[in-house]
Amino acid sequence: MNMAITQFVNIYQSLSKNNLDSLTLIYDENITFVDPIHTICGLPSLTEYFVHLYENLISSQFHMEHTYQCDNDAFLYWTMVITHKKLNKGKPVSVKGHSKLTFKNDKVIYHRDYFDLGEMLYEQLPGIGFLIKKVKVRAGDA
């Protein structure tokens, strides 16, 4: 694994509300960050996004399962375990996903996360979570 990818993984595995300044070590000033909910442009906006994200987050861990590199692109396959005050009654939620990163001068210029938003968010909400899980089970029976 190249040094830029190693640094990225190490920072994400230790990221918390207390060290968000470390994002400057891995992201280009002109970063484009995309996940199932947001598209964020620029490092200041991304940092602000993480500030809000960590307000109700009790803990988060990333377990890297596989990493692949091709030229300036990297593909990371991970399991994220989060504990959030408003999800799953404050109990941990585990979600599998992957990220595509594009590097420029050893910093990430493009970051896109792919994961099941329903699994992470909607299925953890009281009432609606039960219905979504039931629909998924029924869809599997079709």
Side-chain angles (χ1 to χ4, degrees), residues 14-60:
S14 65
L15 199 60
S16 74
K17 65 182 175 183
N18 300 318
N19 64 357
L20 293 177
D21 58 329
S22 63
L23 295 174
T24 63
L25 300 173
I26 57 174
Y27 286 117
D28 186 89
E29 189 66 30
N30 297 309
I31 179 67
T32 298
F33 178 93
V34 181
D35 69 15
I37 304 174
H38 306 91
T39 297
I40 300 166
C41 296
L43 188 54
S45 296
L46 182 61
T47 302
E48 187 64 28
Y49 168 70
F50 275 96
V51 167
H52 292 297
L53 183 70
Y54 277 93
E55 283 178 354
N56 291 307
L57 202 59
I58 298 167
S59 68
S60 69

Side-chain angles (χ1 to χ4, degrees), residues 97-122:
H98 65 277
S99 302
K100 178 190 186 282
L101 309 176
T102 301
F103 288 86
K104 177 182 173 186
N105 300 325
D106 289 332
K107 289 196 175 184
V108 178
I109 188 78
Y110 178 80
H111 177 161
R112 179 153 189 179
D113 283 341
Y114 298 89
F115 59 88
D116 183 345
L117 185 62
E119 181 181 19
M120 183 183 91
L121 181 62
Y122 306 128

